């Protein structure tokens, strides 16, 4: 699959896969800044995408940032719809004390293009019967 990308900032870098087996591609910052527990940071990517209809882009935190520095996306997972053509921005927050500095050119998040289905909702009186039924929150074991 090919995705059209519009470069909005001269510092922007086209996303890349960091390894042959990578599921997600890396996003790079075009601006520098600091993120701390009381000061989230908006990171600009300088890029806009033409996501094919029937797909969306999911944006996730980088695992190293989460495990090593408690930095994650403020909304946990970003969803970029196929009809959004504005700049993709990343909002980071830090879940522990201290701060993390980032610079233009740093990897700040990772993205994945996946197919999506829009569904029709049918209102019914009863749902199918299953062994689990409406059991939740540990009902299938510990």
């Amino acid at each position: 699959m090919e995705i059209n990308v519009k470069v909005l900032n001269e510092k922007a870098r086209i996303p890349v896969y960091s390894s042959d087996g990578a599921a997600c591609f890396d996003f790079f910052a075009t601006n520098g800044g600091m993120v701390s527990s009381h000061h989230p940071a908006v990171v600009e990517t300088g890029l806009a995408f033409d996501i094919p209809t029937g797909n969306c882009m999911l944006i996730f935190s980088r695992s190293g940032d989460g495990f090593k520095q408690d930095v994650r996306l403020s909304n946990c997972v970003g969803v970029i719809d196929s009809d959004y053509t504005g700049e993709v921005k990343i909002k980071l927050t830090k879940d522990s004390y201290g701060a993390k500095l980032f610079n233009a050119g740093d990897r700040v998040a990772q993205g994945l293009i996946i197919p999506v289905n829009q569904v029709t909702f049918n209102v019914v009186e009863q749902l199918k019967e299953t062994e689990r039924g409406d059991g939740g929150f540990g009902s299938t074991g510990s």
Side-chain angles (χ1 to χ4, degrees):
M1 175 186 303
E2 293 184 358
I3 302 290
N4 293 329
V5 181
K6 183 176 181 180
V7 177
L8 306 171
N9 181 315
E10 65 184 22
K11 294 181 183 178
R13 292 181 56 188
I14 303 302
V16 296
Y17 292 92
S18 293
S19 70
D20 290 339
C24 294
F25 45 84
D26 291 325
F27 281 101
F28 300 89
T30 61
N31 60 313
M34 178 188 74
V35 58
S36 69
S37 59
H38 300 295
H39 295 93
V42 175
V43 183
E44 298 172 357
T45 67
L47 301 172
F49 296 84
D50 187 1
I51 300 166
T53 301
N55 293 273
C56 76
M57 180 188 299
L58 299 179
I59 301 178
F60 302 97
S61 302
R62 297 186 65 243
S63 58
D65 289 343
F67 275 93
K68 296 175 184 174
Q69 301 197 25
D70 294 331
V71 173
R72 62 174 173 81
L73 267 65
S74 293
N75 61 338
C76 296
V77 176
V79 178
I80 309 298
D81 300 311
S82 63
D83 59 351
Y84 175 72
T85 56
E87 181 179 8
V88 171
K89 295 181 182 182
I90 313 294
K91 187 173 182 183
L92 298 175
T93 192
K94 187 163 174 39
D95 291 326
S96 61
Y97 291 104
K100 177 188 172 165
L101 298 174
F102 60 91
N103 299 300
D106 285 354
R107 294 182 294 170
V108 292
Q110 54 186 340
L112 173 71
I113 305 290
I114 63 165
V116 294
N117 295 307
Q118 287 192 340
V119 299
T120 302
F121 295 93
N122 298 314
V123 177
V124 298
E125 295 295 321
Q126 188 170 340
L127 299 175
K128 67 182 178 190
E129 291 188 30
T130 67
E131 184 177 327
R132 183 176 182 179
D134 62 358
F137 304 104
S139 67
T140 62
S142 51

